[in-house]
């Protein structure tokens, strides 16, 4: 299959024509990759059993791992799922935005979209291209991240191209994703909500709206997910480059000492640009401009891909804290490292 790559130009007419074309593919049951504020999505009609099967095939994804259904306005969930007052309370604050809410599904969503579950994950992206595409399409779009299964999620159209060229008819290039890690996935509980996958909408932000927000223990300890986790994605090894990811727990200076003692010429260390001088003589890969959760989240997946593209056998990263948006980075890293942490002192 020939894959068309369309770059958004800012020319309203040309961009609109491209999205109309993308929407035609989607309505015909074909797949289109598109940008969102979190990561690129691999879109398919959320009403089509066949299109969902194509998603699993293109990604090489196990078909029991359900897809998120994307809408352009929170109220569109009404025809897809059984909503609650808490859903609308959260939607008022975080939709559109990087939050995915799991609700009991209605029959219109085929079982293949939800991996056989009786619930459906609903998300309303704030990215203007994603939002316009869903509106033009006129139907909800089921979309997992647009990577081959097990690879880091794509945060640029080039990442998507690398994984999906020849497998899908069209990729819409809207530049780099501003957040860089996937949306926060929550389920609603009697007390409020529970985070199944951490993202840019944090526990504190959710608690401020619904009173009680908890974090599923498997977010911090992936081995606790077991065989039948609340969110099937929890049980799959994810985000892993071919190189070994070495997560080092320790103070900043202990991390620097540990890396300088252990690093080999075929290996690299990840650091913010402001910290690079501490590792002179080492191969340093950029984890953003400065040492912050937002920058780490934004550049983490690109960095994991870079490690393999440049042929390093191992990459050293400092274990982030579990507070705020750092929790999302912590969760992706600990899974990329297969749960292993080394200690530096
Ligand atoms: O930011 C995002 O959420 C991106 C962009 C494209 O929107 N999408 C994304 O989709 O990350 P995906 O398929 O890579 O991850 C979806 C996660 C998986 O961990 C899956 O198990 C979980 O959401 N999930 C989906 N539907 C679910 C359901 N009904 N119950 C529990 N977990 C669900
Ligand atoms: Mg994914």
């Amino acid at each position: 299959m020939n894959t068309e790559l369309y770059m958004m130009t800012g020319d309203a007419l040309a961009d609109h024509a491209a999205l109309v074309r993308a929407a035609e593919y989607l309505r015909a049951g074909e797949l289109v990759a598109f940008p969102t504020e979190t990561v690129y999505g691999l879109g398919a009609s959320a009403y089509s059993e066949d299109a969902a099967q194509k998603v699993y095939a293109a990604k090489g994804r196990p078909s029991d791992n359900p897809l998120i259904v994307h809408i352009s306005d929170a109220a569109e969930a009404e025809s897809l799922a059984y909503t609650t007052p808490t859903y609308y309370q959260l939607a008022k604050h975080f939709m559109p935005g990087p939050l995915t809410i799991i609700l009991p599904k209605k029959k219109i969503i085929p079982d293949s979209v939800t991996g056989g579950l009786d619930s459906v994950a609903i998300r309303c992206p704030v990215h203007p291209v994603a939002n316009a595409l869903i509106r033009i399409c006129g139907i909800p779009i089921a979309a997992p991240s647009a990577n081959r299964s097990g690879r880091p999620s794509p945060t640029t159209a080039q990442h998507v191209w690398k994984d999906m060229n020849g497998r899908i008819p069209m990729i819409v290039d809207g530049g780099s994703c501003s957040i860089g890690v996937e949306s926060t996935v929550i389920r609603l509980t009697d007390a409020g909500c529970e985070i199944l996958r951490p993202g840019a909408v944090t526990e504190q932000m959710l608690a401020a709206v619904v009173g009680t927000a908890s974090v599923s223990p498997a977010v911090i300890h992936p081995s606790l997910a077991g065989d039948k986790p609340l969110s099937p994605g929890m049980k799959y090894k994810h985000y892993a480059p071919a190189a070994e990811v070495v997560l080092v727990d320790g103070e900043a200076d202990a991390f620097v000492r540990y890396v300088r003692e252990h690093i080999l010429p075929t290996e690299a260390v990840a650091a913010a640009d402001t910290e690079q001088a501490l590792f002179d003589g080492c191969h340093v890969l950029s984890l953003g401009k400065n040492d912050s959760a937002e920058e780490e989240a934004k550049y983490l997946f690109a960095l994991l891909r870079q490690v393999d593209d440049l042929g390093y056998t191992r990459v050293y990263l400092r274990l982030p804290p579990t507070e705020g948006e750092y929790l999302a980075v912590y969760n992706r890293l600990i899974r990329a490292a297969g749960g292993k942490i080394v200690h530096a002192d």
Side-chain angles (χ1 to χ4, degrees), residues 232-265:
M234 284 174 158
K235 74 177 178 233
Y236 294 109
K237 187 176 176 189
H238 252 198
Y239 318 117
E244 186 190 356
V245 173
V246 180
L247 266 187
V248 184
D249 184 19
E251 296 298 324
D253 51 345
F255 172 63
V256 175
R257 273 200 307 279
Y258 183 95
V259 171
R260 298 197 69 105
E261 267 167 46
H262 290 81
I263 197 165
L264 300 176

Side-chain angles (χ1 to χ4, degrees), residues 126-195:
V126 71
H127 194 293
V129 174
N131 200 277
L133 179 59
I134 302 165
R135 278 182 201 280
I136 293 170
C137 220
I139 54 172
I141 300 180
S145 49
N147 52 293
R148 291 276 295 158
S149 194
R151 299 253 299 145
S153 293
T155 53
T156 67
Q158 288 67 41
H159 298 158
V160 180
W161 179 263
K162 191 141 195 209
D163 283 16
M164 293 295 161
N165 180 22
R167 294 177 180 276
I168 60 175
M170 187 171 180
I171 299 170
V172 179
D173 182 350
S176 298
C177 302
S178 59
I179 293 176
V181 291
E182 305 90 339
S183 62
T184 304
V185 176
I186 61 168
R187 72 181 182 105
L188 304 181
T189 60
D190 291 341
C193 68
E194 181 183 27
I195 296 179

Side-chain angles (χ1 to χ4, degrees), residues 36 38-41 59 61 65-68 70 100 102 117 119-121 123 143-145 181-183 185 196-197 230-234:
T36 82
T38 57
V39 301
Y40 273 74
K59 278 182 68 81
R61 172 170 176 142
N65 194 0
L67 312 178
I68 293 175
H70 296 67
T100 296
I102 297 170
L117 297 178
S119 58
V120 59
R123 159 154 147 72
S145 49
V181 291
E182 305 90 339
S183 62
V185 176
L196 304 182
R197 182 179 70 181
L230 288 168
S231 177
M234 284 174 158

Side-chain angles (χ1 to χ4, degrees), residues 16 38 51 70 118 122 127 137 146 175 179 211 240 243 272 286 289 300 311-312:
H16 182 76
T38 57
H70 296 67
D118 51 16
I122 300 284
H127 194 293
C137 220
I179 293 176
S286 173
K289 290 195 244 344
L300 176 66
Y312 295 118

Side-chain angles (χ1 to χ4, degrees), residues 82-337:
Y82 296 93
T83 60
T84 65
T86 311
Y87 168 81
Y88 282 105
Q89 218 182 336
L90 287 164
K92 204 172 119 203
H93 287 84
F94 305 115
M95 286 187 178
L99 178 67
T100 296
I101 303 179
I102 297 170
L103 295 170
K105 86 172 185 77
K106 291 190 173 168
K107 280 208 185 65
I108 192 163
I109 301 292
D111 287 344
S112 55
V113 168
T114 62
L117 297 178
D118 51 16
S119 58
V120 59
I122 300 284
R123 159 154 147 72
C124 178
V126 71
H127 194 293
V129 174
N131 200 277
L133 179 59
I134 302 165
R135 278 182 201 280
I136 293 170
C137 220
I139 54 172
I141 300 180
S145 49
N147 52 293
R148 291 276 295 158
S149 194
R151 299 253 299 145
S153 293
T155 53
T156 67
Q158 288 67 41
H159 298 158
V160 180
W161 179 263
K162 191 141 195 209
D163 283 16
M164 293 295 161
N165 180 22
R167 294 177 180 276
I168 60 175
M170 187 171 180
I171 299 170
V172 179
D173 182 350
S176 298
C177 302
S178 59
I179 293 176
V181 291
E182 305 90 339
S183 62
T184 304
V185 176
I186 61 168
R187 72 181 182 105
L188 304 181
T189 60
D190 291 341
C193 68
E194 181 183 27
I195 296 179
L196 304 182
R197 182 179 70 181
V201 175
T202 63
E203 182 185 358
Q204 293 74 13
M205 290 159 73
L206 292 164
V209 175
V210 296
T212 307
S214 61
V215 177
S216 171
V219 164
I220 294 178
H221 304 287
S223 61
L224 295 179
D227 290 342
K228 273 208 164 291
L230 288 168
S231 177
M234 284 174 158
K235 74 177 178 233
Y236 294 109
K237 187 176 176 189
H238 252 198
Y239 318 117
E244 186 190 356
V245 173
V246 180
L247 266 187
V248 184
D249 184 19
E251 296 298 324
D253 51 345
F255 172 63
V256 175
R257 273 200 307 279
Y258 183 95
V259 171
R260 298 197 69 105
E261 267 167 46
H262 290 81
I263 197 165
L264 300 176
T266 56
E267 301 174 350
V269 55
D273 296 348
T274 48
E275 321 269 286
Q276 300 219 345
L278 301 169
F279 299 99
D280 62 306
C282 306
H283 298 293
V284 189
L285 299 176
S286 173
L287 202 44
K289 290 195 244 344
N290 51 48
D291 190 358
S292 71
E294 288 74 17
E295 287 286 298
E296 279 197 30
K298 187 165 177 177
Y299 292 104
L300 176 66
F301 287 142
L303 180 136
L304 293 179
R305 283 176 176 261
Q306 225 185 345
V307 172
D308 284 349
D309 291 347
L310 297 173
Y312 295 118
T313 54
R314 195 176 269 165
V315 60
Y316 296 85
L317 296 113
R318 184 165 170 227
L319 184 72
T322 53
E323 281 81 50
E325 198 182 336
Y326 273 119
L327 182 62
V329 178
Y330 181 101
N331 170 260
R332 296 340 182 255
L333 273 177
I334 193 143
R335 299 180 65 187

